[in-house]
Amino acid sequence: MLLAQGVEGIAVGLSSKILPHNFNEICDAAIAYLKGEEFALYPDFQTGGTIDVSKYNDGERGGMVRIRAKISKEADNKTLVISEIPFGENVMTLCESKEKAEEKGKIKIRKIDDNTSDKVEILLQLAPGVSSDKTIDALYAFTDCEISITPCCCVIDNHTPVFLTVSELLR
């Protein structure tokens, strides 16, 4: 359950952040382990987005993942659509981070339309004369459209905190 749903907690001098993983991939990894085969597990998020796991380090302390929202351009090239958001974010916090970046002059957005219902859809109307490509880069750089998470797989074993990798936790 720890691997499937993820967990985050903090205690005096200790913290734990185990990211959620795809249940089917956990089952496949468990079968591979029982067969004596190699396996690898990577985080998977229900909110979508893209993830860079090149520094994941099997979920061990000191690793890092970078998660990005999915941003696409409409045909008019003056409207951007955010259809997936990073793990740990919600539509409201994402919009708030955009407003803060706009107040600081980092991005120029004329209007934000939140059409989110069962799926995320945030429409960003760009100001006249603003490049959509540069705005996408600025959204990743100055808002919560891109976040970094440092996993730390710490569990209590026999009344003692133990730092493990995700693979060791599965075993």
Side-chain angles (χ1 to χ4, degrees):
M1 292 307 290
L2 288 175
L3 291 176
Q5 295 183 0
V7 67
E8 184 174 356
I10 190 163
V12 178
L14 290 176
S15 69
S16 183
K17 183 175 268 195
I18 301 171
L19 301 175
H21 295 74
N22 182 291
F23 183 74
N24 292 333
E25 292 172 5
I26 293 169
C27 292
D28 292 342
I31 291 168
Y33 168 69
L34 292 172
K35 289 181 176 181
E37 300 170 355
E38 293 291 319
F39 65 91
L41 274 175
Y42 297 107
D44 193 10
F45 308 113
Q46 290 181 346
T47 57
T50 58
I51 184 171
D52 175 6
V53 293
S54 61
K55 297 179 184 176
Y56 181 53
N57 201 22
D58 201 21
E60 191 172 21
R61 184 170 48 170
M64 183 191 76
V65 295
R66 187 174 29 210
I67 309 160
R68 284 184 154 196
K70 182 178 179 184
I71 304 174
S72 57
K73 294 186 246 181
E74 288 278 308
D76 65 357
N77 229 14
K78 291 297 172 190
T79 304
L80 301 177
V81 180
I82 299 175
S83 56
E84 297 177 5
I85 59 176
F87 173 72
E89 297 296 317
N90 60 48
V91 172
M92 190 172 77
T93 60
L94 203 61
C95 290
E96 287 173 1
S97 74
K98 279 182 202 42
E99 290 170 5
K100 288 179 185 175
E102 194 169 12
E103 288 172 4
K104 293 178 182 177
K106 303 293 184 184
I107 57 175
K108 294 181 182 174
I109 296 174
R110 187 181 57 163
K111 182 179 172 189
I112 299 174
D113 291 323
D114 180 10
N115 297 334
T116 301
S117 58
D118 61 331
K119 293 186 178 187
V120 174
E121 185 181 62
I122 303 170
L123 302 175
L124 306 173
Q125 306 290 331
L126 303 181
V130 175
S131 164
S132 58
D133 291 327
K134 288 183 180 180
T135 301
I136 290 173
D137 291 341
L139 286 168
Y140 288 135
F142 302 113
T143 70
D144 291 343
C145 285
E146 178 177 296
I147 60 169
S148 295
I149 297 176
T150 304
C152 183
C153 187
C154 179
V155 296
I156 304 298
D157 183 21
N158 205 16
H159 303 292
T160 305
V162 179
F163 292 96
L164 302 171
T165 65
V166 170
S167 299
E168 291 170 333
L169 184 61
L170 177 73
R171 287 182 191 103

